[in-house]
Amino acid sequence: MNLHELDSYFRDLEARDVYSGVVLVTQGDNELFAGAYGCASRAWDVRNTLETRFDTASVTKLFTAVSILQLVEQGLVSLDASVVEFLSLTDTTISKEVTLFHLLTHSSGIGDDADEEAGERYEDLWKEKPNYSIQCTADFLPQILHNPPNFPPGEGCRYCNVGFILLGLVIEQVTGLDYAEYVQKHVFDRCGMASSGFFRKDHVHPLLAEGNDPIYDDENTLTGWKRNIYSFPPIGSPDAGTYVTAADLDRFLRSVQAGELLSPPMTAEFLSSKVDYNPPRQWRVGYGLEFFLGAAGDVEFFEKEGINSGVSAMLRHIPSLDINIVLLSNMENGVWEPAKKVYQLITS
């Protein structure tokens, strides 16, 4: 990999105000490349560093998935359990046939609160409902329970955020702990993610990147920046919103692969695909992870990405090279084109 070319590429994006964030590439225990670009705070012109903590959006779902699998290993819950029966969610539009497996693999058919596959934006949920009305996992229930389903459980695959909210409620019911407290103790602490956590956006915490997106006029000229403070609830939830450093996110995946969070059999389950997208594509879905298949059906890479207003993130692993790619950005459109470039440089 041409490291000089990669740094020059990101410096150019930074100069054009189209990338703000960090990038980390590792191979086994070796760091191949690390860089920080743009501003953690544009208002105060504070630069991003490799110690900056970024909102990961839906990458958080990986922590929820590992937590559920830990409880399955302990015999405290089954992947075949009906979520309606387990959480006593009667008199709702959620089918009794929906299991934890369906929730983990986006095959439940539950109607999402914001159908992102249909082009709906998550931030639009808070135009009429105050975002600060969501203070704990159970507060999401009113916007979950009565949505019309997209398909019967197990008969399709459609990305669904609220499925992971329900998984978070399962974690809380089984353990008696708040979701964030469980993840901190049994995921972050166990694999040494010392800088990561669920930090309230309405409290002051050091080294947190502020989410910003550019504002353009009709002639596509940059005229200002929009903060994302009203775009989601004030604290992360089982489907999104954990803050991490790039090194911590890399450490998480390495720890999973080393068997530090799950037993060897369950680790293998977590790192394997389970469900085809509907209609079938080159992608398959696992327990939070998404797998890109080559022409021969082998896994070229697997990943989890996240996006929200002022936030984009990606964790990608290339099995044949044992390479991790971590991209964290405090811009909504930050990581997508850079992810293609980094992957091209690594594999060419």
Side-chain angles (χ1 to χ4, degrees):
M1 178 168 49
N2 188 328
L3 300 186
H4 175 73
E5 180 180 351
L6 191 55
D7 184 61
S8 297
Y9 169 77
F10 278 99
R11 294 293 176 197
D12 176 66
L13 297 182
E14 176 188 46
R16 293 189 286 116
D17 275 326
V18 293
Y19 188 76
S20 176
V22 295
V23 55
L24 174 66
V25 182
T26 65
Q27 186 171 42
D29 295 331
N30 299 317
E31 179 183 291
L32 301 182
F33 182 83
Y37 308 89
C39 290
S41 171
R42 291 186 180 273
W44 294 98
D45 194 28
V46 176
R47 304 279 303 172
N48 281 318
T49 72
L50 292 172
E51 287 71 46
T52 303
R53 301 183 282 193
F54 292 83
D55 185 341
T56 60
S58 285
V59 174
T60 300
K61 291 180 173 67
L62 296 182
F63 311 137
T64 303
V66 166
S67 298
I68 287 288
L69 295 180
Q70 288 176 341
L71 301 179
V72 170
E73 284 192 309
Q74 297 169 44
L76 299 175
V77 69
S78 167
L79 290 177
D80 296 327
S82 164
V83 68
V84 168
E85 295 178 359
F86 197 91
L87 296 177
S88 301
L89 300 178
T90 56
D91 299 322
T92 73
T93 57
I94 301 175
S95 169
K96 291 182 180 179
E97 304 303 314
V98 173
T99 66
L100 303 194
F101 175 89
H102 293 136
L103 299 179
L104 283 167
T105 58
H106 300 287
S107 58
S108 70
I110 295 174
D112 216 344
D113 52 4
D115 192 343
E116 293 173 327
E117 287 203 14
E120 296 178 1
R121 291 182 60 81
Y122 186 75
E123 64 177 336
D124 289 344
L125 292 174
W126 317 111
K127 286 185 175 180
E128 297 182 1
K129 181 178 182 178
N131 62 337
Y132 56 79
S133 66
I134 306 294
Q135 299 289 332
C136 65
T137 310
D139 290 340
F140 285 94
L141 282 175
Q143 61 198 53
I144 292 176
L145 300 181
H146 302 291
N147 300 329
N150 290 305
F151 50 80
E155 296 187 16
C157 182
R158 189 178 184 88
Y159 197 86
C160 183
N161 287 300
V162 301
F164 278 74
I165 295 294
L166 295 175
L167 290 169
L169 289 171
V170 170
I171 293 167
E172 293 182 345
Q173 180 160 312
V174 169
T175 66
L177 299 175
D178 175 77
Y179 166 79
E181 184 181 357
Y182 180 90
V183 171
Q184 186 70 53
K185 182 177 181 180
H186 295 280
V187 179
F188 296 165
D189 290 350
R190 280 177 60 177
C191 59
M193 298 172 65
S195 298
S196 300
F198 292 83
F199 305 114
R200 291 187 61 94
K201 298 174 179 65
D202 55 352
H203 290 184
V204 175
H205 300 279
L207 300 176
L208 297 190
E210 299 173 351
N212 299 273
D213 284 320
I215 301 171
Y216 296 103
D217 63 17
D218 292 340
E219 297 179 354
N220 204 35
T221 300
L222 179 64
T223 61
W225 293 87
K226 176 186 175 183
R227 292 282 304 277
N228 64 355
I229 55 175
Y230 300 114
S231 299
F232 26 74
I235 190 168
S237 52
D239 64 328
T242 317
Y243 279 85
V244 304
T245 61
D248 270 4
L249 193 52
D250 175 74
R251 187 173 293 113
F252 164 75
L253 187 54
R254 298 290 178 190
S255 296
V256 169
Q257 293 172 309
E260 296 173 9
L261 296 177
L262 299 166
S263 68
M266 194 62 83
T267 297
E269 284 292 298
F270 178 68
L271 296 175
S272 61
S273 63
K274 305 299 176 187
V275 173
D276 280 325
Y277 271 107
N278 189 22
R281 292 183 263 177
Q282 280 186 283
W283 291 88
R284 299 194 83 228
V285 179
Y287 297 143
L289 289 168
E290 298 163 2
F291 297 78
F292 183 78
L293 307 182
D298 55 321
V299 176
E300 288 192 11
F301 61 82
F302 60 80
E303 68 179 29
K304 185 70 192 85
E305 45 74 29
I307 184 172
N308 214 325
S309 176
V311 178
S312 55
M314 180 175 291
L315 171 62
R316 177 178 291 179
H317 180 75
I318 307 172
S320 63
L321 300 173
D322 191 25
I323 283 180
N324 283 352
I325 302 169
V326 179
L327 287 158
L328 301 173
S329 175
N330 50 334
M331 296 176 66
E332 179 175 348
N333 292 320
V335 306
W336 316 113
E337 288 303 317
K340 296 177 184 177
K341 180 67 173 181
V342 175
Y343 186 73
Q344 177 187 13
L345 286 174
I346 290 173
T347 57
S348 60

